[in-house]
């Protein structure tokens, strides 16, 4: 399996520091999660029912004609390549590596390119995979350019697959509302914005025929009853969503400013994380880990991704740790 953030227990073992003492900034998950309600016993005791209204609530939240609940967007990432004959696939890089991995594993011809190169060479591909905003670089794409790309691909039976896992803070940039178009597929994650990564819940927005094929491929009961119960309420909580969007945007700006103040000016990011390319990334990662602060290290290109601290104490802890690094980041 590929490497991901959130491997806190492994870091605790490696550095000999109890897990409870760590500040985990290795993921892009909102540290201020949606407040969980009491879950009724029925949600645990009965098989999940897919006519419980979750799909309709999700479609309304995302502004999409149709939405299919899945066991995290990862489930769709793994299954979608199996719905196509062998194709030429262009995948945004650097980015969430599971996309290229899944298409290669299914036997497709995959190339990974930077965003500008991918769009410039779009005629070469049957499928184009974008992450918007990108993780970790924060790349963003103009709506008109994306729809033109979708139209070009669809004309020859191709797909434009857009992973919008980090879009919730800026929903006005989403293409979920356009997914009645053939060949346009948008993935959304409930884990990042709502801080519910443990629910392993996501949604796919696309035309009905494609969603039906994906549903058949995934099989029944893709989400647990408790997860479905929680999501129905979280996706309907518009007041919390409005307040959290503003909070996340402010926190993302605060993190960028904090890193810059310590000589680590980010070159990209989003409301959920900031990304710093640096040849000393491995040294910085190790130095912070020795202070029980876990970041996400990328080897290619050498870089670090910083997630958001939670409470004020965590912000001060990161600030103090970066100050202690001294010459290492100067």
């Amino acid at each position: 399996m590929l490497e991901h953030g959130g491997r806190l227990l492994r870091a605790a073992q490696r550095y000999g520091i109890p897990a409870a003492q760590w500040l985990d900034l290795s993921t892009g998950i909102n540290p201020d999660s949606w407040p969980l309600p009491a879950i009724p016993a029925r949600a645990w005791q009965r098989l999940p029912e897919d006519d419980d209204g979750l799909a309709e609530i999700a479609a309304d939240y995302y502004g999409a004609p149709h939405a299919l609940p899945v066991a995290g967007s990862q489930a769709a990432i793994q299954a979608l390549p199996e719905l196509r004959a062998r194709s030429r696939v262009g995948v945004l890089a650097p980015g969430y590596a599971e996309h290229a991995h899944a298409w290669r594993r299914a036997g497709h011809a995959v190339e990974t390119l930077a965003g500008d190169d991918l769009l410039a060479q779009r005629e070469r591909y049957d499928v184009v995979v974008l992450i918007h905003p990108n993780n970790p670089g924060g790349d963003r794409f103009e709506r008109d350019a994306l729809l033109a790309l979708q139209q070009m691909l669809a004309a020859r039976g191709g797909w434009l697959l857009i992973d919008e896992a980090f879009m919730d803070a800026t929903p006005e940039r989403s293409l979920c509302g356009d997914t009645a178009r053939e060949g346009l597929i948008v993935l959304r994650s409930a884990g990042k914005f709502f801080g519910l990564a443990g629910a392993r819940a996501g949604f796919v927005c696309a035309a009905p025929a494609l969603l039906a094929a994906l549903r058949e491929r995934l099989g029944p009961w893709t989400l647990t009853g408790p997860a479905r119960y929680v999501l129905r309420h979280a996706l309907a909580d518009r007041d919390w969503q409005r307040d959290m969007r503003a909070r996340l945007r402010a926190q993302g700006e605060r993190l960028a400013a904090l890193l810059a103040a310590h000589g680590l000016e980010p070159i990209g990011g989003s409301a959920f994380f900031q990304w710093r390319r640096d040849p000393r990334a491995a040294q910085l990662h190790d130095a912070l880990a020795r202070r029980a602060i876990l970041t996400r290290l990328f080897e290619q290109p050498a870089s670090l991704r910083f997630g958001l601290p939670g409470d004020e104490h965590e912000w001060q802890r990161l600030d103090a740790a970066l100050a202690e690094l001294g010459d290492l980041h100067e």
Side-chain angles (χ1 to χ4, degrees), residues 16 20 42 48 96 116 151 157 201 326:
R42 178 185 177 89
Y96 186 56
D116 290 344
Q151 186 175 24

Side-chain angles (χ1 to χ4, degrees), residues 291-309:
R291 293 162 173 80
I293 297 177
L294 186 60
T295 56
R296 177 70 167 94
L297 175 64
F298 296 87
E299 295 182 358
Q300 294 295 331
S303 54
L304 286 181
R305 188 188 67 197
F306 295 80
L308 296 174

Side-chain angles (χ1 to χ4, degrees), residues 47-64:
L47 284 171
E49 299 182 81
D50 59 9
D51 56 356
D52 60 358
L54 176 59
E56 292 75 16
I57 293 170
D60 183 58
Y61 170 71
Y62 293 120

Side-chain angles (χ1 to χ4, degrees), residues 140-169:
R140 290 169 173 79
F141 304 92
E142 293 302 321
R143 170 185 171 82
D144 290 347
L146 292 176
L147 292 179
L149 174 59
Q150 175 272 327
Q151 186 175 24
M152 184 274 292
L153 291 167
R156 57 171 186 259
W159 290 355
L160 173 58
L161 173 59
I162 305 178
D163 183 344
E164 292 187 350
F166 292 99
M167 185 61 79
D168 295 68

Side-chain angles (χ1 to χ4, degrees), residues 45 110 127 144 160 168-169 225 247 252 257 262 285 300 315 327:
Q45 295 166 345
V110 177
V127 177
D144 290 347
L160 173 58
D168 295 68
R247 175 178 171 81
H262 290 285
H285 173 80
Q300 294 295 331
W315 282 96
D327 294 339

Side-chain angles (χ1 to χ4, degrees), residues 58-67 132 143 146-147 162-165 167-168 171-181 184-189 203-207:
D60 183 58
Y61 170 71
Y62 293 120
H66 306 279
H132 187 213
R143 170 185 171 82
L146 292 176
L147 292 179
I162 305 178
D163 183 344
E164 292 187 350
M167 185 61 79
D168 295 68
E172 67 278 1
R173 299 186 66 93
S174 172
L175 257 63
C176 282
D178 299 283
T179 49
R181 297 171 177 240
L184 177 59
I185 308 164
V186 177
L187 308 181
R188 298 297 292 256
S189 168
F203 298 88
V204 182
C205 302

